[in-house]
Amino acid sequence: KMQRHRKISLERLEKFSSDSVWTDVNLRSGVYSAFSPVSSLSSFSVPNLARIPYSQLAKYEDQFSHVSVGNSFGPSWSTHWFKVQIEVPKSWEDKEVHFLWNSNSEAMIWENGEPKQGLTGGSGCDKREEYIITQNAVGGTKYEYYVEMACNGMFGCGDGCVGAPDPDRQFKLDQVQIGLFNRKAWHLLCDFILLSDIAKELPENSPTGSDALYVANRIVNTYYADDESTIDVAQKLSDEFFAKKGYAQAPMVHAIGNCHIDTAWLWTYAETRRKTARSWSTTLAYMSQPEYRDYKFACSQAQQLEWLKEDYPTLFEKIKTKVQEGRFILTGGTWVEMDGNLPSGESFVRQFLFGQRFFYKEFGAYCTEFWLPDTFGYSGQLPQIIRGAGIKYFLSQKLSWNIVNKFPNTTFWWEGLDGSRVLTHFPPADTYTSHANVKEIVKSVQNHKDLDRSPNSMLLFGHGDGGGGPTLQMLHAIHRLENVPELPWVAYKTPYQFFTNAEKLAKDRNLHVWSGELFFELHQGTYTTQASTKRQNRKGEVLLRDVEFLLTLAFVWDRQAHPYPTQEINRLWKILLLNQFHDVLPGSSIEEVYKDTEKLYSELQTSGQILLEKGQNTALPFSPATSSLATMSLHGPQVIFWNTLSWPRREVISVPNHLKNLFPIKMSLQPVETEDQTLIVVEVPSSSCQIGETAFHTMKHDEVVTLSEDGESFTFENQYLSTKITHDGLVISLIHKASGHESLSAPANRFIIFEDVPFFWDAWDVLVYHLEKVKATPKAIQHRVTERGPLRVAIEFEVKLSETSHLTQKVSLTAFGKYLDFDTTVTWHESHKFLKVAFPLAVKSQQASYEIQYGHLQRPTHFNTSWDLARFEVCGHRWADLSEYGFGVAVLNDSKYGYACHGSVMTLSLLRSPKKPDAHADLGRHSFRYALYPHGGSTPGDGNVPRVGLEYNSSILVTAAVPIDEVFGGHKPVFEVESLCLKSHFTSVVIDCVKKAEDDDAVILRLYESSGGRDTVKLKVGFPFVTAVLCDILERALQPPTILPLLQGALRIEFLPFQLLTVKLILGPSS
C-alpha cells in the first residue's frame, strides 16, 4: 500500500533507476546479467597526431602490441587503433550479446572493413558504450573488431566545456568486455524512467501524473534484483499504464532525430570528418533494428556529406539508401550551417547554391527547409535569399538563449527587408539536442507561444554539437510516449510534414509576422573576436568577386581560348564557405581551428591571385597574349586599370614604382615615403578598364590636397573636406564643404579600452556592463608628417595602448577623397580587454543605419526599452551611418563588423582578447582601415554611402600588359546601370556578381537595390547576347518564365526596395 509522501516517493523512484547509487539492487542491476573478458586486445598508436584510415591499417599490422584495460592513451588528438578478438561463451547460447567499450573518448568500431557504430566514452549523459554483436548468440562463435580510438572527448580536449584544450591529456581505457544483455530488463528500466518523469513533470493533481507515480512505486515494490521473473510482472504494470490513450485533439509534437555536428569548434575540421562517420553509422545501426523502423533522422550541411563520400564511401551509399526510404532526411540546403550575420550577400547565395546543387546531384532532390538551429543572429535579408533558393520554411531556436527579452513567437512568418516571407518555427523545447524526455515534451506545449494559431511543434532530439545523435533510450521514449493522457501526441515526422501542416493552418489562423532581422541578444562579441579570420573572410569575398568578373569577360570574348575555370573557382569558394561556419568565422573555436583556417585562407589568396592576374590579362576583347609582334612593337607596354564596380570611378591610387616609366611625363605623381609605390590619379569607366594614358587624370590647381600646421593641430583640406587633427591623433573638426556642416560634436578617433569579462561564454559574449568600466583612453605619444601632397597628405601617429600593446596609425586625405582615412596597425597583447574607436558626431537621430547583406537596416540610438538596450552592440558590414535631415556621417571599414551608436557617439569595435576556448585569441599584429565619411542627404542612400563603402573595399586593379587594339582603350563600360526614374540617371542598383552559369555558357548577373527605394533601370551590356531571363539564386528560370524587355538596346529591370535579382544572359553560339 502506497503511503502519501509524494516528495519521498519521487526521490525513491529516482534512486531506483540511478546509474550512480544502489546499482546492485535497482533496475540497472538486471540490464547485464553477466560479463566476459575479450580473448585478445592489442593496439597500434599512430605517430605524429596523424589520422590514418582503416584502408591503410594493414601495413601496420606488425606494430600492434598487447594492451590491457586500465592503460592510458594520449596525447590529445592522437589516434590509436585496437584489434579486439572475442569468443562468445557457450553458456550464452541464443542470448543477446553486446560489446562494451569505454576509453573515456570518442571511438569507432569497425567490422570487415566497414564502420559500424560510434562509441562515446566517459560517464556523461552522452555515453554510448554498447555495440550489439548479436541478438541470437551461438556459443563459441568468434568475432574480430577494430576500434579506432580518437583521443578527444565529444567536446574536445578542454575542461569539459569551453576551456582551451589540454595538449597532453591522457584517456584511460576503462572497459573492454562483452556483456549478456537482458532486453526485458532494459525495456522495463526505460519505461520506469518515463513513468517517474511523468509523475514529476505533470501537476500534483494530475490524474495521469498521479497514476504514473502509483504505478512506478508498485514497480519498485515488485522488482527484485535476484528474481528475474519479477521483471515480467513489473512490465505488465507498465504496459497497462501506457495502453491508456490520450484524446485525439491533443497538440502533436513532431519528433525528428538529429546530431547537429559542428563543422569545427572545440575540435578541428579533420576530427569532424570522423565525427560524421561515428554519428551517422550509429544512426544507420539503430535504423536497422526492427523495433525502430519508424525512426527518422534529419541531417544538414552538404560539406559534411561530401567529406563522408570521400572518406567513407560505403557508409555514404548506405545513407543514400535511407534517404530514398524517407528515413534519413536531408535538410538545410546550405554548404555549412554558416554564421547568420557576417558573410556577405553573395556568400549567403553561394552557401545555398553549393548546398542545394550537392543535395540534388547526390540525392535527387532539393532541400525544402532552411535549417540553422545554432547561430548567433539572423540577417534581415535571409528570408529573400532563402526564398531565392526554392525554400519557404525556416527552423531555428537560438533566440531562446536571449538574456534580455523573451522572443514572443514559436511559429510565425518571418519577413525580410524586401517583404519576402518564410514560415518559421522555433521548437518550444528550446533545444536542438533534446533528450526526448517527458520534461521537454511537456515544455513543447507549455512554452508554445502560438498554440491558439498553430498548436503543433517540432522536437529535435539527440546528442549534438559534438555529434552522437539519439540513443536507444531516446528512441524508446518517442515510441512509448506516442499517445499518453495529458501529454501531447508524439510521432516521428519530417520537417516538411510539420511545415506543410503548419502552412495549412496558417491560412485560417493569421500567424504573427516578425519583420526585419532576428537579433540575438547574446554572443555580441562574435562580431569582433578573431579579427584576422574576419579580415581574411572580407578579403576573400572581394577577391573572388573580382576573379569571377574578369574571367567571365575573358570567357565571353573568346570561349575557346579562355575557358572558364569553374572547378578551380568553386574550390576556392568552398574554402571561403567552409570557414564561414557558425563557430569559425564568429571566432568561437579553439586555436587549432584557426591554424587550419590561416592555411586555407593562404591557399585561397595564393590561388585566387593567380586567377586574378590571369583575368586582368585576358579580360580584354582581344587578349594581349595573342597580339602580333608588330602590334606590340607599335604600341609598347601599357598599364591596365580595372574597375569591377558598376559605376565610373576617379581616385588616387598607388601603383608599384617599376611601372613609373610607363606613365606620361607631365602627369601628376607623388612618391610614397618608405614604400615602393607612387600615387597617381586615374579615371576608369563602369565595369570595365582603362588602358595606358587614357586612364590618367590631369590635375587642376583647385583639385590638390593641402596640409598646414598652426602649432597645436594640423589642417588637411581638399575640394570636399577640411579637417583639423591634434598632435595626439584626435580629429577635432571635419567640415563637409558642400553643406558647411561640422561633422563632429567632440574630439573623434578616440581609442577606448574597456574591461571585457562576460559571465561565461568568453569568446562569444560582450555584455552591456562593459560600457561602465573604461580601462583607458590612450592618445598618441608622437607623430610625424609623412606625405604633404599634392595627391595625398598624411600624418603618422604612435599610440601607447598599454605596457604591452601599441598602435601605429596613418591618417590621410587624398585630393579626390570624400572621407578621412585611418590606416591602422596594432600590436595587441591583452587579456579580457576590448578596444574600440569612438566618433562623437554632430548629428541627431533616433536611429542609425547599418549595412547588411544587399541593403541596410536601422537600429535605435537610445535605450528606451529593453529591446533597445539589448542592441548595445550590433553587427554591420562595410559601413554604419548616422543621418539627420540634410546631412549625415558614415563610418567605413575594410574588415570590421562590430558597431554601436549611443546617442550621437558611434563606435567601431576593433579588437578583443578572450581566453576561452582559444587562449591566444587576437594576440599579435593586426592591420585594418576605417574612415569617416560626411555627406549630404537625409539617408545613407541620399549620401551615396553604399557606393562609397563598396569603393572603400574594392580597389581599382592595376596590371601591365600590351593592348592589341588601339581603338579599344577600355572606354566603353561592359556593364552600365542607369535609372529611368531620375533625371540624373543615378541609381542605387548595384551589380554585385558577374559569373559564368554553373551548367551552361550563359552569364549570371546578380543585382540589388541598395538604398531602400523603388527604381526602374536600364542595364547596358557591352557584349552580344540572345536573351535575358530572371532566375533564382540556383540559376533556374523563374516560373512562369520572365524574359526581360529590351529598351533602346538595353535591358529594362524593375526593382523593389532592397530587392535582389539574378539575371541570366543567354549567349549565342560560340564562334
Side-chain angles (χ1 to χ4, degrees):
K1 183 178 180 180
M2 181 177 176
Q3 306 302 311
R4 289 182 175 274
H5 40 66
R6 174 181 169 82
K7 183 177 179 181
I8 294 175
S9 295
L10 288 173
E11 183 73 16
R12 184 191 193 200
L13 303 187
E14 182 181 327
K15 294 296 187 288
F16 201 65
S17 61
S18 172
D19 61 357
S20 59
V21 297
W22 316 128
T23 55
D24 58 333
V25 293
N26 71 12
L27 281 174
R28 302 270 176 185
S29 65
V31 174
Y32 288 101
S33 56
F35 298 95
S36 178
V38 299
S39 304
S40 174
L41 179 66
S42 57
S43 78
F44 162 61
S45 297
V46 182
N48 304 317
L49 303 184
R51 295 174 172 88
I52 64 167
Y54 180 90
S55 60
Q56 297 180 19
L57 205 55
K59 68 177 71 172
Y60 301 102
E61 280 289 339
D62 61 346
Q63 297 185 41
F64 279 77
S65 59
H66 174 75
V67 293
S68 301
V69 173
N71 291 162
S72 292
F73 297 85
S76 301
W77 312 119
S78 61
T79 297
H80 306 266
W81 280 93
F82 295 80
K83 182 192 292 185
V84 185
Q85 294 177 330
I86 294 167
E87 183 174 352
V88 177
K90 293 183 178 180
S91 61
W92 293 8
E93 187 81 20
D94 298 328
K95 301 295 178 63
E96 182 167 348
V97 181
H98 289 186
F99 172 60
L100 302 172
W101 171 282
N102 191 328
S103 55
N104 287 284
S105 72
E106 290 196 83
M108 167 86 91
I109 186 166
W110 292 74
E111 183 179 17
N112 298 324
E114 292 192 11
K116 304 302 289 187
Q117 184 191 302
L119 300 165
T120 307
S123 58
C125 65
D126 59 356
K127 180 174 67 175
R128 195 186 312 264
E129 59 185 4
E130 75 289 336
Y131 171 71
I132 300 174
I133 297 176
T134 176
Q135 291 184 308
N136 189 20
V138 176
T141 303
K142 296 180 180 180
Y143 297 89
E144 181 176 271
Y145 300 113
Y146 284 87
V147 177
E148 181 185 16
M149 174 186 173
C151 281
N152 53 266
M154 188 63 79
F155 292 88
C157 297
D159 56 8
C161 199
V162 296
D166 175 359
D168 297 313
R169 184 171 166 185
Q170 297 292 307
F171 295 83
K172 185 180 178 183
L173 185 58
D174 276 341
Q175 178 178 223
V176 184
Q177 60 184 343
I178 59 174
L180 186 59
F181 184 70
N182 188 329
R183 187 164 289 273
K184 287 183 178 180
W186 179 82
H187 193 284
L188 178 61
L189 171 65
C190 294
D191 272 7
F192 181 83
I193 292 170
L194 294 176
L195 288 166
S196 302
D197 284 350
I198 291 170
K200 181 169 61 176
E201 296 301 330
L202 291 183
E204 188 170 344
N205 60 356
S206 156
T208 301
S210 299
D211 191 23
L213 180 60
Y214 177 77
V215 172
N217 195 70
R218 283 191 66 189
I219 290 174
V220 177
N221 293 334
T222 300
Y223 174 82
Y224 288 93
D226 58 355
D227 185 355
E228 188 173 345
S229 67
T230 61
I231 295 175
D232 291 332
V233 179
Q235 185 63 58
K236 184 177 179 181
L237 296 172
S238 177
D239 290 342
E240 289 173 352
F241 175 88
F242 284 107
K244 299 171 185 177
K245 300 302 180 183
Y247 63 97
Q249 287 73 37
M252 177 175 283
V253 173
H254 295 62
I256 187 79
N258 84 122
C259 65
H260 184 75
I261 304 173
D262 283 329
T263 302
W265 179 30
L266 303 176
W267 51 87
T268 61
Y269 293 137
E271 194 56 43
T272 299
R273 298 177 80 116
R274 300 201 294 190
K275 280 178 175 285
T276 59
R278 291 192 285 259
S279 298
W280 298 340
S281 64
T282 302
T283 296
L284 298 187
Y286 292 174
M287 285 182 175
S288 68
Q289 298 188 29
E291 58 266 49
Y292 306 122
R293 62 177 62 89
D294 55 348
Y295 169 35
K296 292 181 172 62
F297 179 89
C299 175
S300 66
Q301 305 195 81
Q303 170 68 92
Q304 293 181 9
L305 286 158
E306 183 178 73
W307 283 340
L308 192 81
K309 182 181 180 182
E310 294 169 355
D311 299 347
Y312 305 89
T314 59
L315 183 57
F316 183 77
E317 290 302 317
K318 290 179 180 179
I319 285 176
K320 291 181 78 169
T321 299
K322 293 301 178 185
V323 170
Q324 293 169 0
E325 292 175 4
R327 300 183 65 191
F328 199 98
I329 311 301
L330 302 175
T331 188
T334 51
W335 190 245
V336 298
E337 289 185 13
M338 69 284 190
D339 179 80
N341 285 311
L342 303 170
S344 69
E346 188 59 29
S347 289
F348 275 165
V349 167
R350 299 304 172 96
Q351 289 284 355
F352 284 99
L353 178 67
F354 282 63
Q356 287 284 59
R357 286 176 60 83
F358 178 87
F359 288 122
Y360 188 81
K361 176 184 176 183
E362 298 294 340
F363 303 99
Y366 295 110
C367 296
T368 55
E369 313 85 25
F370 179 40
W371 184 276
L372 193 57
D374 182 30
T375 198
F376 314 141
Y378 304 86
S379 165
Q381 278 287 34
L382 271 172
Q384 179 176 196
I385 296 168
I386 294 168
R387 293 303 298 261
I391 295 172
K392 56 181 180 178
Y393 308 129
F394 171 48
L395 182 141
S396 184
Q397 65 81 47
K398 197 65 176 184
L399 267 60
S400 66
W401 284 38
N402 281 3
I403 62 170
V404 182
N405 300 284
K406 192 123 178 122
F407 192 77
N409 299 119
T410 295
T411 303
F412 59 99
W413 291 108
W414 180 24
E415 183 176 270
L417 296 192
D418 74 317
S420 297
R421 289 183 178 183
V422 290
L423 184 59
T424 301
H425 181 66
F426 291 173
D430 288 347
T431 180
Y432 51 85
T433 56
S434 166
H435 292 181
N437 55 34
V438 175
K439 180 179 181 179
E440 290 162 335
I441 289 171
V442 169
K443 187 177 181 180
S444 294
V445 174
Q446 292 180 344
N447 191 46
H448 197 310
K449 304 176 186 70
D450 298 294
L451 271 176
D452 58 331
R453 300 163 189 264
S454 185
N456 302 330
S457 63
M458 289 201 70
L459 183 76
L460 282 52
F461 71 94
H463 295 298
D465 290 325
T471 63
L472 291 172
Q473 183 178 334
M474 295 177 193
L475 302 184
H476 178 88
I478 296 296
H479 172 68
R480 283 304 241 179
L481 296 174
E482 180 181 14
N483 185 13
V484 175
E486 297 186 65
L487 293 181
W489 281 73
V490 181
Y492 287 110
K493 298 288 182 181
T494 67
Y496 182 76
Q497 288 172 320
F498 166 80
F499 275 110
T500 52
N501 178 267
E503 189 174 32
K504 291 177 184 177
L505 292 175
K507 293 179 180 179
D508 301 321
R509 300 201 180 188
N510 193 26
L511 286 181
H512 291 122
V513 177
W514 184 272
S515 183
E517 68 179 330
L518 292 168
F519 186 84
F520 184 40
E521 298 175 0
L522 198 65
H523 293 3
Q524 286 136 293
T526 60
Y527 311 149
T528 305
T529 307
Q530 297 289 1
S532 175
T533 299
K534 292 173 170 60
R535 175 181 174 82
Q536 294 276 25
N537 177 73
R538 179 83 63 85
K539 300 306 179 186
E541 289 172 336
V542 173
L543 173 61
L544 289 179
R545 181 192 182 279
D546 289 345
V547 163
E548 289 184 324
F549 172 86
L550 293 169
L551 291 177
T552 300
L553 294 190
F555 170 77
V556 166
W557 303 137
D558 193 331
R559 291 181 233 178
Q560 276 71 44
H562 306 299
Y564 191 81
T566 299
Q567 185 173 352
E568 175 67 358
I569 289 176
N570 287 353
R571 181 182 74 86
L572 300 183
W573 264 111
K574 286 181 179 180
I575 291 175
L576 193 68
L577 300 180
L578 171 62
N579 287 343
Q580 290 173 350
F581 178 74
H582 67 252
D583 273 311
V584 177
L585 183 55
S588 50
S589 289
I590 58 174
E591 184 174 8
E592 288 81 356
V593 171
Y594 295 106
K595 291 178 180 178
D596 288 345
T597 62
E598 284 299 312
K599 295 175 184 176
L600 289 169
Y601 283 131
S602 177
E603 167 61 19
L604 169 59
Q605 285 293 326
T606 299
S607 298
Q609 288 296 332
I610 292 172
L611 292 177
L612 185 71
E613 182 177 347
K614 177 182 178 182
Q616 287 176 275
N617 286 287
T618 58
L620 301 171
F622 298 97
S623 169
T626 62
S627 61
S628 67
L629 290 177
T631 306
M632 293 173 68
S633 174
L634 176 66
H635 297 295
Q638 297 288 333
V639 182
I640 305 175
F641 301 92
W642 281 102
N643 169 25
T644 62
L645 299 179
S646 52
W647 54 87
R649 299 169 68 177
R650 176 195 293 175
E651 294 179 17
V652 174
I653 66 170
S654 60
V655 297
N657 278 340
H658 69 267
L659 298 179
K660 282 172 59 176
N661 62 328
L662 303 181
F663 302 155
I665 297 175
K666 295 183 179 180
M667 74 170 295
S668 300
L669 301 175
Q670 179 185 323
V672 180
E673 182 182 345
T674 72
E675 298 180 26
D676 186 26
Q677 299 281 315
T678 296
L679 298 178
I680 62 173
V681 183
V682 296
E683 295 180 87
V684 190
S686 164
S687 301
S688 188
C689 69
Q690 202 74 301
I691 299 176
E693 61 184 61
T694 60
F696 302 135
H697 174 78
T698 302
M699 294 284 289
K700 300 176 183 177
H701 177 73
D702 59 355
E703 290 179 332
V704 300
V705 62
T706 62
L707 180 152
S708 60
E709 184 177 6
D710 62 7
E712 295 183 356
S713 65
F714 298 93
T715 298
F716 295 174
E717 187 166 3
N718 67 9
Q719 55 191 311
Y720 306 110
L721 303 175
S722 177
T723 185
K724 288 184 178 295
I725 306 168
T726 66
H727 291 180
D728 53 12
L730 297 178
V731 182
I732 56 175
S733 176
L734 179 61
I735 296 174
H736 180 248
K737 293 171 76 170
S739 66
H741 275 287
E742 170 60 63
S743 304
L744 307 176
S745 61
N749 196 40
R750 181 165 55 95
F751 296 106
I752 308 174
I753 299 177
F754 296 92
E755 185 174 275
D756 183 16
V757 184
F759 292 153
F760 177 75
W761 298 98
D762 201 2
W764 293 258
D765 287 348
V766 56
L767 297 177
V768 67
Y769 56 71
H770 84 282
L771 298 171
E772 303 172 22
K773 199 166 184 180
V774 175
K775 178 68 176 177
T777 54
K779 299 178 181 178
I781 55 176
Q782 61 182 25
H783 65 272
R784 67 186 186 97
V785 176
T786 59
E787 298 175 34
R788 295 184 176 274
L791 302 186
R792 186 169 71 190
V793 295
I795 303 173
E796 187 174 273
F797 294 94
E798 296 285 338
V799 180
K800 183 179 180 181
L801 299 174
S802 71
E803 292 301 318
T804 56
S805 302
H806 64 273
L807 177 152
T808 301
Q809 184 172 76
K810 182 169 75 174
V811 184
S812 65
L813 180 67
T814 69
F816 293 93
K818 297 182 179 180
Y819 50 76
L820 185 64
D821 193 37
F822 303 85
D823 193 344
T824 311
T825 300
V826 181
T827 300
W828 184 246
H829 293 284
E830 300 298 319
S831 178
H832 291 113
K833 303 296 186 296
F834 194 171
L835 177 64
K836 299 185 180 185
V837 61
F839 305 95
L841 304 178
V843 179
K844 180 65 175 175
S845 178
Q846 295 292 301
Q847 293 184 319
S849 300
Y850 302 85
E851 188 194 35
I852 64 168
Q853 301 82 358
Y854 301 132
H856 61 268
L857 48 70
Q858 288 74 44
R859 301 184 179 110
T861 59
H862 52 74
F863 292 165
N864 285 358
T865 71
S866 60
W867 295 89
D868 302 330
L869 173 67
R871 287 167 166 78
F872 64 88
E873 180 85 3
V874 298
C875 183
H877 281 219
R878 291 169 288 223
W879 56 265
D881 180 87
L882 189 66
S883 290
E884 60 190 23
Y885 181 75
F887 181 71
V889 182
V891 174
L892 317 174
N893 78 83
D894 74 340
S895 58
K896 301 299 174 185
Y897 296 88
Y899 296 89
C901 191
H902 305 145
S904 295
V905 179
M906 183 171 286
T907 59
L908 180 65
S909 298
L910 303 177
L911 294 168
R912 296 185 70 224
S913 49
K915 298 302 168 192
K916 295 181 180 181
D918 178 359
H920 304 101
D922 283 322
L923 302 186
R925 189 175 184 272
H926 299 269
S927 296
F928 48 85
R929 293 170 58 223
Y930 56 85
L932 267 180
Y933 169 58
H935 60 81
S938 306
T939 67
D942 292 341
N944 207 22
V945 178
R947 281 193 176 189
V948 176
L950 278 160
E951 291 173 356
Y952 194 74
N953 282 266
S954 299
S955 301
I956 291 175
L957 304 174
V958 183
T959 190
V962 182
I964 180 65
D965 189 343
E966 187 176 23
V967 176
F968 179 77
H971 300 285
K972 293 182 179 179
V974 180
F975 302 104
E976 192 171 19
V977 188
E978 295 181 354
S979 173
L980 295 173
C981 300
L982 299 175
K983 290 183 179 180
S984 66
H985 299 304
F986 177 88
T987 181
S988 55
V989 171
V990 173
I991 299 178
D992 193 53
C993 168
V994 178
K995 66 181 287 288
K996 179 190 168 295
E998 295 293 318
D999 294 325
D1000 53 41
D1001 286 351
V1003 172
I1004 298 294
L1005 307 181
R1006 197 119 44 229
L1007 305 92
Y1008 70 96
E1009 196 287 314
S1010 65
S1011 297
R1014 298 169 189 265
D1015 200 1
T1016 300
V1017 303
K1018 64 177 181 179
L1019 170 63
K1020 299 177 182 178
V1021 179
F1023 54 81
F1025 62 94
V1026 175
T1027 189
V1029 297
L1030 290 182
C1031 58
D1032 63 15
I1033 65 173
L1034 305 186
E1035 302 179 6
R1036 304 174 302 183
L1038 299 184
Q1039 297 300 323
T1042 304
I1043 300 175
L1044 294 174
L1046 279 169
L1047 178 68
Q1048 297 177 344
L1051 296 171
R1052 185 180 185 275
I1053 313 175
E1054 297 180 359
F1055 284 87
L1056 298 173
F1058 296 127
Q1059 187 176 19
L1060 171 69
L1061 291 177
T1062 302
V1063 177
K1064 188 172 187 178
L1065 302 176
I1066 311 298
L1067 305 181
S1070 176
S1071 58

